[in-house]
Amino acid sequence: MPTTHLPYPREELYRLGPQRSFSGRALGEIAFPLGGIGTGTVSLGGRGQLRDWEIFNRPGKGVTLPYTFFSIWAKAAGGKPIARVLESRLQPPYTRADGLASSEQAGLPRLDSCTFQGEYPFAKLAFADRRLPLQVELEAFNPMAPLDADLSGMPVAIFTWRLHNPGHTPVDATLAFSIANVAGYDGVTTLDRNASTKMLGRGLNSWQQQNGLAGIALTTEIAISWPDLTHTLRWKRAGRFDAFQSFWDDFADGQLRDDPTPDRAPDGRIDYSTLGLRVHLAPGESVALPIALAWHMPNLTNTWNAGQRGLEGLVGKPIGNHYATRFKDAWDVATHTLRELPNLESATRRFHDTLFESTLPAHVLDAVSSQMSIIRTTTCLRTSDGKFHGFEGCNDNVGCCPMNCTHVWNYEQALAYLYPALERTMRDTDFAINTRDDGDMAFRTALPLEPVVLWDFKPAADGQMGSIMKVYREWLLCGDTKWLRKLWPEIKRALEYAWRGPNGNASAAWDPDGDGVMEGEQHNTYDIEFYGPNTMCGSLYLGALRACEDLARALGEDVTADEYRTRYERGRARLDQELWNGEYYVQREPPVDQIVEVDHGTQPWHSSAYVPGENELRYQYGRGCLSDQLLGAWFGAVVGLDNLLPPERVRAALASIFRYNWHADLSDHANTQRTYALNDEAGLLLCSWPLGERPTQPFPYSDEVWTGIEYQVAAHLIYAGLVDEGLTVVRGLRDRHDGERRNPWNEFECGNHYARAMASWSLLLALSGFRYSAPAGRISFAPVVNADKFRSFFSTGTSWGSFAQAHNDSSFKATLELRAGSLRLQRIELCPLTTPTQVSITLGGQPIAAHLEPAGADVVVALHQELSLVAGELIEIRLR
Amino acid sequence: MPTTHLPYPREELYRLGPQRSFSGRALGEIAFPLGGIGTGTVSLGGRGQLRDWEIFNRPGKGVTLPYTFFSIWAKAAGGKPIARVLESRLQPPYTRADGLASSEQAGLPRLDSCTFQGEYPFAKLAFADRRLPLQVELEAFNPMAPLDADLSGMPVAIFTWRLHNPGHTPVDATLAFSIANVAGYDGVTTLDRNASTKMLGRGLNSWQQQNGLAGIALTTEIAISWPDLTHTLRWKRAGRFDAFQSFWDDFADGQLRDDPTPDRAPDGRIDYSTLGLRVHLAPGESVALPIALAWHMPNLTNTWNAGQRGLEGLVGKPIGNHYATRFKDAWDVATHTLRELPNLESATRRFHDTLFESTLPAHVLDAVSSQMSIIRTTTCLRTSDGKFHGFEGCNDNVGCCPMNCTHVWNYEQALAYLYPALERTMRDTDFAINTRDDGDMAFRTALPLEPVVLWDFKPAADGQMGSIMKVYREWLLCGDTKWLRKLWPEIKRALEYAWRGPNGNASAAWDPDGDGVMEGEQHNTYDIEFYGPNTMCGSLYLGALRACEDLARALGEDVTADEYRTRYERGRARLDQELWNGEYYVQREPPVDQIVEVDHGTQPWHSSAYVPGENELRYQYGRGCLSDQLLGAWFGAVVGLDNLLPPERVRAALASIFRYNWHADLSDHANTQRTYALNDEAGLLLCSWPLGERPTQPFPYSDEVWTGIEYQVAAHLIYAGLVDEGLTVVRGLRDRHDGERRNPWNEFECGNHYARAMASWSLLLALSGFRYSAPAGRISFAPVVNADKFRSFFSTGTSWGSFAQAHNDSSFKATLELRAGSLRLQRIELCPLTTPTQVSITLGGQPIAAHLEPAGADVVVALHQELSLVAGELIEIRLR
């Protein structure tokens, strides 16, 4: 199976950091989201501007707040003062019917240029300017640490401005932040200079000062801990451009007009305020100025179910944000943030450093880190009951394809490994709420959860089986068998629905004859139904059967376990036998006259594959090479079910997928569907028909390129040992997100920040060969890049840390350092290059009793006693 | 008065054609409008795409029609077929929440690259592609000839595709145009693949064939005269992407699925159709394929008065398009177009060639030709009564600042010189409709005209005086004294309103003491009021007085004429004496306690300059150097009133305006208002305060850059002999419209295609020194560039043609060639380099009797008998 020529040199594919840095045109699309889990975000643009204000309980791409920006005034001793907006210059085009807006301060001078570097959750900008007598850098972040959903769920953006005086004379400077008080804003309506809408007005800007912190309280707060302040509570209320002109005239003189008497804005009008930090910098001196922008928008309501048959009644229902149960108001958030800033920042940096010190290729870390941000965008909610929910993605102003869509969230691994407790709330919803008595799981969630309203549509075969594999993953990570037991009846019902069918009607079931192969109407992630055996739904079904076998045994239901095992083995054998075409697995469509249609709700967007009177099914893939054909096997690789399909076939099929579906250049690709990759870009098509027999109406999206599937295939290629190919797919994908074409921190599919893209986390799992079973106390590492000097982040349901290994000819040393939580250990699986015969382990220098058990290519270090590692502890393992 | 260093080399400033050609990123903003007077337009994008569909009786920036595009299929003998969208590749960014749209055929392959060149009204694209076996070029235009408003007012876009086979084997090809039938579309709603709105549906696509023409009739028509056709009346009606896929599959096979039975589209749905032209090209062979896209949208209604106090009731009132009175339907337009195509094209080319063969600098021709397009954009209407009206400009989806705004249209000269009969209808509206009994002219027009509703707001001092200068211009150009006499009572009332005041209240008048200087509340084009003497309104007032003096004399009212003259002379002396500061003219503001406020209607956008209790007036310019300070003198130069202010002062003031207000680089400019020029761009500020004393609240827009004022100043600099400076302003301005930053065919201010930009026509007048007085039968030329070998377009109210002159040491030869209309001639003013003593004139080789009369730097050739030149005739004048 020789692979076609790879367009990237291997040294590029395997290059370690530093991460990309962006400048010039590549700043155009950059929007780095700043916000916590379920808080919404405001994004830092590539030029340093604030863009896409999404803090108002809904997405807001393109939403800007008028006159909301950072600015600087500086004067070197004996020199002329200079005032600048703290952004690099605007970039073309400059077309707007009535000119670039005053409210975007388009006409004020900016700094000459900047470079942007993002290592989520930290963004760094370095500015350059001919005239400013200071060097200026900005670091922005929102606190984030795995496992700690509260620390990672704060409605705040923290900006640290670093000013340095490189000259020979002292410099006086004022760094200011101006902001519009838009209390009442709906997050959608265009606000400009003259904005006057009924929703606005009566806002009050007031001065706050306590415990060394100071700031201006609006609904959104700015707070800082800095002694020398200047501020304007509200700009002059005046027509035309007078308010802005008056502010800028004051600022350009280096002093804001402080006004101590707060009063409410007139009806319908916006007040603007500015907070300035004054510094005096001696030659060579530097200073860091921290500013916290905090918000508090408690009233999350359902804005997304309009037009969804059966759920329209939910629109407007209050749901509420979890963060609002923790903080009284934005000032509370701001003061908490600044009081705790050293802790918040060090926790965040600890995570960041652990992730970025990994020896994974730079572009893989880029893919892994940038897409884990999705957890903390408007794609995801944390409702006032503490539960986590997710859209598929977000349209520009409303969440898209609500909610917890089982088949799209099949691909996501980031939340599961970073916030496993939140991920478990999704399983609670899947099984305790959405699974009907007959085992039919509504594949979307209606919010609010109470009273229970279920999405009235056929269940998704891939999503439902995937949810079972997910619950297995959650159990492995956390080991909470009590939790599992509570959901077990629904899990079994959901699995057995495969052969029992809707309301027990087996003839309408996915697997009517119960042989472990789905043949019925299988609704799936392409928004259509596949008919007949196929390994896309089929491999997920095998995975669900195997997972439930293990779960049943863990719960003492051996008979059930055996039954599932039997179905699995029959299914596996039949799929492999009937669908392998020598190069990959195909679909075997049934004759049209054998189609059994399932009577279920319909939705406006749905088109049936089976149209009475037509003699060919629509929307199948047939003899095609489907990129998702091994979806269940990929998930199996993640959770340690390695053998769902024969490994040599899996490897061959993956090589075919890469050969046929991945293109280094799409200039000649003809796609009538939606477009996510084009021109000279590289991408992996969802399907191709290399042997001909492309259907007249192939399944929708077949000619598209989805990052989530690219990641899934890339990780699976790596699991299968086709590492070059896997890294190539990731490289092509991330090159498309180069800041000029697309935002590196937003991979969109059917919506921005699309959940499927969180499949990128499986790259980290695959490259480090990491697995953990809490029930067994077993941790495994099998690095496949830089294995002789390897380091990587890892996480379990209760802990995270850093794993390292080093090889030389005669010895192998591994270290496992826990940086948060606690970790139960009984067995440690490693993958040395040579077969060792001796092991020594130490914990804080103290030896631990253990022996070696060989296990294929790996070795297992079996501890004589279970160990419970806690944060800060490190074990060192030497093999010889 | 030394001018600051000019940033462009002189050879650049004076370079003749060819015009710029655009490629790469410079294609991004290009939208070349195709449409006639009062028909709306569809624009040709830089890549060859159709964009900004504005044929639906309203502006539509960003409006696209789904699946509406050109495509090509080609197959070289023995080769593989290739199918491409006939556009060059899409350019970044590629960000869209759910991917680039199918309905924009984003995923289909395009040609590698193209170059775009526009010489309005012709646009040319040349494509390049690695794989296509043909060379492809496109020429697009809409018929246009000066004076012929009907020929120039056809709702059609004509595309001529030129295919050339450069290879050694024959090539079969199909060139196709696909289009959505959007009958009923409102021109605003976003249409995409799944568009289903109540306004659409029930459209019928039918096949039409007659007299060698064929086409598909929708509401919009495509028609062609080509024998070998293939077509699909309507694509398959199918869900998902199936309709488009099915079309493309057919097309990629080289043959459309003809379907002869037309039927109506289902309710709410769009049908798509495709027309293909088949050709066989032998090696080396070329072919030109003409395609006419015609439309017929008769129902123009008032969509623009919402929110305008007093005029809201007009919204929705029917007005109607003039073109709909000439054509029955779009098929009528299409067949007329193709039947008359040779005539339409040759008339258009004659005008184009006459204009572009001029020896004016290339960037001036670019400015002149590109902005005359405004006449034929949605900024302008020709209503069913045949009258012409104009917005100030257009917001993206609605005309802005309706209608015929007298002060903005002060700057426009293109319509006056190209379609003088239409321009005269605006004067009819100004005086016969909008001028109240007391002489107060409503400075905006309410449509429909009947019943008469007047804009209820104070009159504009600059607009009203300008309208009087305009009526003078119109009379000079056409010599229609009967027409003048009809309007004369209103003209006088409008002038005398200056000292009689509202309802005869002189104390509230602009010029309360009637001394020829305006001192009262002068509302003006900056949307505020100036108080006290200023040369901006003042020079227009002087011009109006002088114009009315001439008009009164022509009508035999010598007493009135003498009175106007007296006021003029007093005013001129006083302005010059009181406002000259040694470098330029300033404003002298009255003390606040002397302000007389005029009680008049108010509008939501208006802010008063005088606020009781404030001790400084807002929004004045005071000691500033105002770019518009000589506005009336510029208009005077255009119409031959050269002496409104002392010429040496005018020249000095213009030099100051250039020195202080023009910036080669705006990076350090701080502007809190709207932004039309920024970063390293050049531009002329509306005002500056080089001597200090900038008001706290200067007049709005003072820090902005408006192309209309840049043109006005540039032309005036040229008139005053500061030619380098004038060309520099134009060069900086057009460099800002480089296709990447802004569209060369859209100079926006408060709206796209802003009428003020038609001041660019005065560049042609100034550089050729052209003037015409029909009453006197006098034509004048005084070229100031390439005077030794000069050629230029000229036009009068009844004719247009080409003027040329050539010098050598001993002789001077001028030719005047009439290319359309007829021209009465009595006196010809020329400007030879040396003083001649002899003249000889011939008409078609036959001598004409004449003698020389010296007149300052010029000479006057006085014909002994009046001559009436007709199209095709040429006179030749030799001086020695």
Side-chain angles (χ1 to χ4, degrees), chain B residues 57 59 76 116 137 205 235 255-256 280 324 462 503 510 529 563 585 626 629 664 707-708 761 800 849 877:
Chain B
N57 289 309
F116 188 105
E137 291 185 356
N205 299 351
W235 296 1
Q255 176 68 38
L256 297 176
H280 177 87
D462 54 346
N503 299 311
W510 291 324
E529 293 78 43
E563 180 206 329
Y585 289 108
L626 184 72
Q629 65 182 274
T707 67
W761 194 266
W800 59 269
I877 304 152

Short mmCIF file of all heavy atoms in Angstrom, two decimals, chain B residues 57 59 76 116 137 205 235 255-256 280 324 462 503 510 529 563 585 626 629 664 707-708 761 800 849 877:
data_model
loop_
_atom_site.label_atom_id
_atom_site.label_comp_id
_atom_site.label_asym_id
_atom_site.label_seq_id
_atom_site.Cartn_x
_atom_site.Cartn_y
_atom_site.Cartn_z
N ASN B 57 -35.21 47.93 -8.49
CA ASN B 57 -35.72 49.23 -8.05
C ASN B 57 -35.19 49.67 -6.69
O ASN B 57 -35.84 50.45 -6.00
CB ASN B 57 -37.26 49.24 -8.03
CG ASN B 57 -37.82 49.24 -9.45
OD1 ASN B 57 -37.41 50.07 -10.25
ND2 ASN B 57 -38.71 48.32 -9.75
N PRO B 59 -31.08 49.90 -4.39
CA PRO B 59 -29.69 49.45 -4.29
C PRO B 59 -29.63 48.03 -3.71
O PRO B 59 -30.55 47.62 -2.98
CB PRO B 59 -29.05 50.45 -3.33
CG PRO B 59 -29.96 51.64 -3.31
CD PRO B 59 -31.33 51.10 -3.57
N ALA B 76 -10.84 19.61 -26.39
CA ALA B 76 -9.98 19.56 -27.58
C ALA B 76 -10.08 18.17 -28.18
O ALA B 76 -10.25 17.18 -27.44
CB ALA B 76 -8.54 19.87 -27.19
N PHE B 116 -8.50 42.62 -15.24
CA PHE B 116 -9.70 43.41 -15.47
C PHE B 116 -9.27 44.81 -15.88
O PHE B 116 -8.40 45.41 -15.26
CB PHE B 116 -10.50 43.49 -14.17
CG PHE B 116 -11.86 44.13 -14.31
CD1 PHE B 116 -13.01 43.35 -14.30
CD2 PHE B 116 -12.00 45.51 -14.42
CE1 PHE B 116 -14.27 43.93 -14.42
CE2 PHE B 116 -13.25 46.09 -14.55
CZ PHE B 116 -14.39 45.30 -14.55
N GLU B 137 -11.92 35.80 -23.37
CA GLU B 137 -12.03 37.21 -22.98
C GLU B 137 -13.49 37.60 -22.92
O GLU B 137 -14.33 37.03 -23.62
CB GLU B 137 -11.33 38.12 -23.99
CG GLU B 137 -9.82 37.97 -23.98
CD GLU B 137 -9.14 38.96 -24.91
OE1 GLU B 137 -9.85 39.70 -25.61
OE2 GLU B 137 -7.91 38.97 -24.92
N ASN B 205 -40.39 29.87 -16.76
CA ASN B 205 -39.30 30.02 -17.72
C ASN B 205 -39.79 29.49 -19.05
O ASN B 205 -40.25 28.35 -19.15
CB ASN B 205 -38.09 29.20 -17.28
CG ASN B 205 -37.56 29.63 -15.93
OD1 ASN B 205 -37.99 30.65 -15.39
ND2 ASN B 205 -36.63 28.87 -15.39
N TRP B 235 -33.89 23.66 -14.14
CA TRP B 235 -33.17 22.55 -13.54
C TRP B 235 -34.20 21.67 -12.83
O TRP B 235 -35.29 22.11 -12.46
CB TRP B 235 -32.15 23.05 -12.51
CG TRP B 235 -31.03 23.89 -13.07
CD1 TRP B 235 -30.83 24.25 -14.38
CD2 TRP B 235 -29.95 24.47 -12.33
NE1 TRP B 235 -29.71 25.01 -14.49
CE2 TRP B 235 -29.14 25.17 -13.25
CE3 TRP B 235 -29.60 24.46 -10.99
CZ2 TRP B 235 -27.99 25.85 -12.85
CZ3 TRP B 235 -28.46 25.15 -10.59
CH2 TRP B 235 -27.66 25.83 -11.51
N GLN B 255 -23.49 18.68 -22.58
CA GLN B 255 -24.82 18.74 -23.20
C GLN B 255 -25.85 18.99 -22.11
O GLN B 255 -25.92 18.27 -21.14
CB GLN B 255 -25.12 17.39 -23.89
CG GLN B 255 -26.51 17.26 -24.49
CD GLN B 255 -26.69 18.20 -25.70
OE1 GLN B 255 -25.78 18.39 -26.48
NE2 GLN B 255 -27.87 18.79 -25.82
N LEU B 256 -26.66 20.05 -22.31
CA LEU B 256 -27.71 20.32 -21.33
C LEU B 256 -28.93 19.47 -21.66
O LEU B 256 -29.14 19.07 -22.80
CB LEU B 256 -28.07 21.80 -21.34
CG LEU B 256 -26.91 22.71 -20.92
CD1 LEU B 256 -27.31 24.16 -21.06
CD2 LEU B 256 -26.49 22.41 -19.49
N HIS B 280 -17.67 25.24 -32.45
CA HIS B 280 -16.56 24.37 -32.86
C HIS B 280 -15.47 25.29 -33.39
O HIS B 280 -15.71 26.07 -34.31
CB HIS B 280 -17.04 23.40 -33.94
CG HIS B 280 -15.93 22.53 -34.46
ND1 HIS B 280 -15.59 21.33 -33.86
CD2 HIS B 280 -15.07 22.70 -35.48
CE1 HIS B 280 -14.56 20.79 -34.52
NE2 HIS B 280 -14.23 21.60 -35.52
N ALA B 324 -39.95 51.55 -18.53
CA ALA B 324 -41.12 50.68 -18.67
C ALA B 324 -42.17 51.29 -19.59
O ALA B 324 -43.06 50.59 -20.08
CB ALA B 324 -41.72 50.40 -17.29
N ASP B 462 -26.13 77.26 0.44
CA ASP B 462 -25.23 76.90 -0.66
C ASP B 462 -26.00 76.24 -1.80
O ASP B 462 -25.79 76.54 -2.98
CB ASP B 462 -24.09 76.00 -0.16
CG ASP B 462 -24.57 74.76 0.59
OD1 ASP B 462 -25.77 74.68 0.97
OD2 ASP B 462 -23.76 73.84 0.81
N ASN B 503 -40.68 84.28 4.46
CA ASN B 503 -41.93 85.03 4.52
C ASN B 503 -41.69 86.54 4.59
O ASN B 503 -42.39 87.28 5.27
CB ASN B 503 -42.77 84.59 5.72
CG ASN B 503 -43.14 83.13 5.61
OD1 ASN B 503 -43.61 82.69 4.56
ND2 ASN B 503 -42.88 82.37 6.66
N TRP B 510 -30.54 85.41 4.98
CA TRP B 510 -29.10 85.09 4.90
C TRP B 510 -28.30 86.39 4.82
O TRP B 510 -27.24 86.51 5.38
CB TRP B 510 -28.85 84.23 3.65
CG TRP B 510 -29.42 82.86 3.74
CD1 TRP B 510 -29.50 82.08 4.85
CD2 TRP B 510 -30.00 82.11 2.67
NE1 TRP B 510 -30.08 80.87 4.55
CE2 TRP B 510 -30.39 80.86 3.21
CE3 TRP B 510 -30.23 82.36 1.31
CZ2 TRP B 510 -31.01 79.86 2.44
CZ3 TRP B 510 -30.82 81.36 0.54
CH2 TRP B 510 -31.22 80.12 1.10
N GLU B 529 -25.31 74.81 10.17
CA GLU B 529 -25.44 76.17 9.70
C GLU B 529 -24.15 76.93 9.98
O GLU B 529 -23.61 76.84 11.09
CB GLU B 529 -26.59 76.89 10.42
CG GLU B 529 -27.96 76.34 10.07
CD GLU B 529 -28.29 75.04 10.78
OE1 GLU B 529 -28.01 74.93 11.99
OE2 GLU B 529 -28.79 74.11 10.12
N GLU B 563 -29.25 96.05 -10.44
CA GLU B 563 -29.37 95.90 -8.99
C GLU B 563 -28.53 94.71 -8.51
O GLU B 563 -27.78 94.80 -7.54
CB GLU B 563 -30.85 95.71 -8.62
CG GLU B 563 -31.04 95.53 -7.11
CD GLU B 563 -32.30 94.74 -6.76
OE1 GLU B 563 -33.29 94.83 -7.51
OE2 GLU B 563 -32.25 94.03 -5.74
N TYR B 585 -9.09 82.61 2.75
CA TYR B 585 -10.28 83.27 3.29
C TYR B 585 -10.79 82.53 4.51
O TYR B 585 -10.89 81.30 4.50
CB TYR B 585 -11.40 83.31 2.24
CG TYR B 585 -11.12 84.26 1.10
CD1 TYR B 585 -10.80 83.78 -0.17
CD2 TYR B 585 -11.20 85.64 1.28
CE1 TYR B 585 -10.55 84.64 -1.23
CE2 TYR B 585 -10.95 86.51 0.22
CZ TYR B 585 -10.62 86.01 -1.03
OH TYR B 585 -10.38 86.87 -2.07
N LEU B 626 -10.65 76.26 4.82
CA LEU B 626 -11.72 75.38 4.34
C LEU B 626 -11.49 75.01 2.88
O LEU B 626 -11.32 75.90 2.04
CB LEU B 626 -13.06 76.11 4.50
CG LEU B 626 -14.32 75.32 4.15
CD1 LEU B 626 -14.59 74.26 5.22
CD2 LEU B 626 -15.53 76.25 4.02
N GLN B 629 -13.77 76.75 0.50
CA GLN B 629 -13.91 78.21 0.67
C GLN B 629 -14.13 78.94 -0.65
O GLN B 629 -14.58 80.08 -0.66
CB GLN B 629 -12.68 78.79 1.38
CG GLN B 629 -11.38 78.66 0.60
CD GLN B 629 -10.18 79.20 1.38
OE1 GLN B 629 -9.88 80.36 1.35
NE2 GLN B 629 -9.53 78.31 2.10
N ALA B 664 -0.03 63.66 1.79
CA ALA B 664 0.42 62.50 1.01
C ALA B 664 0.29 61.22 1.82
O ALA B 664 0.25 60.12 1.25
CB ALA B 664 1.87 62.70 0.57
N THR B 707 -14.29 62.75 -1.87
CA THR B 707 -13.76 62.82 -3.24
C THR B 707 -14.38 63.98 -4.00
O THR B 707 -13.71 64.61 -4.81
CB THR B 707 -14.00 61.51 -4.02
OG1 THR B 707 -15.39 61.33 -4.24
CG2 THR B 707 -13.44 60.31 -3.28
N GLY B 708 -15.65 64.27 -3.76
CA GLY B 708 -16.29 65.35 -4.50
C GLY B 708 -15.60 66.68 -4.28
O GLY B 708 -15.43 67.48 -5.20
N TRP B 761 -16.07 65.60 -13.51
CA TRP B 761 -16.22 66.07 -14.89
C TRP B 761 -15.58 67.45 -15.08
O TRP B 761 -15.11 67.79 -16.17
CB TRP B 761 -17.69 66.10 -15.29
CG TRP B 761 -17.84 66.25 -16.77
CD1 TRP B 761 -18.00 67.40 -17.47
CD2 TRP B 761 -17.75 65.21 -17.74
NE1 TRP B 761 -18.04 67.14 -18.82
CE2 TRP B 761 -17.89 65.79 -19.01
CE3 TRP B 761 -17.57 63.82 -17.65
CZ2 TRP B 761 -17.86 65.05 -20.19
CZ3 TRP B 761 -17.54 63.07 -18.82
CH2 TRP B 761 -17.68 63.68 -20.07
N TRP B 800 -21.94 66.85 -29.30
CA TRP B 800 -20.65 66.52 -28.70
C TRP B 800 -19.69 66.09 -29.79
O TRP B 800 -20.09 65.75 -30.90
CB TRP B 800 -20.75 65.46 -27.62
CG TRP B 800 -21.33 64.12 -28.03
CD1 TRP B 800 -22.62 63.75 -28.00
CD2 TRP B 800 -20.60 62.98 -28.53
NE1 TRP B 800 -22.78 62.46 -28.43
CE2 TRP B 800 -21.54 61.95 -28.75
CE3 TRP B 800 -19.24 62.73 -28.78
CZ2 TRP B 800 -21.19 60.70 -29.23
CZ3 TRP B 800 -18.89 61.46 -29.25
CH2 TRP B 800 -19.86 60.46 -29.48
N ALA B 849 -15.51 82.45 -43.83
CA ALA B 849 -15.03 83.80 -43.56
C ALA B 849 -15.01 84.09 -42.07
O ALA B 849 -15.98 83.81 -41.36
CB ALA B 849 -15.95 84.82 -44.25
N ILE B 877 -9.09 75.06 -38.16
CA ILE B 877 -8.71 76.46 -37.97
C ILE B 877 -7.20 76.54 -37.91
O ILE B 877 -6.58 75.83 -37.12
CB ILE B 877 -9.29 76.99 -36.64
CG1 ILE B 877 -10.81 76.80 -36.61
CG2 ILE B 877 -8.93 78.48 -36.43
CD1 ILE B 877 -11.37 76.63 -35.24
#
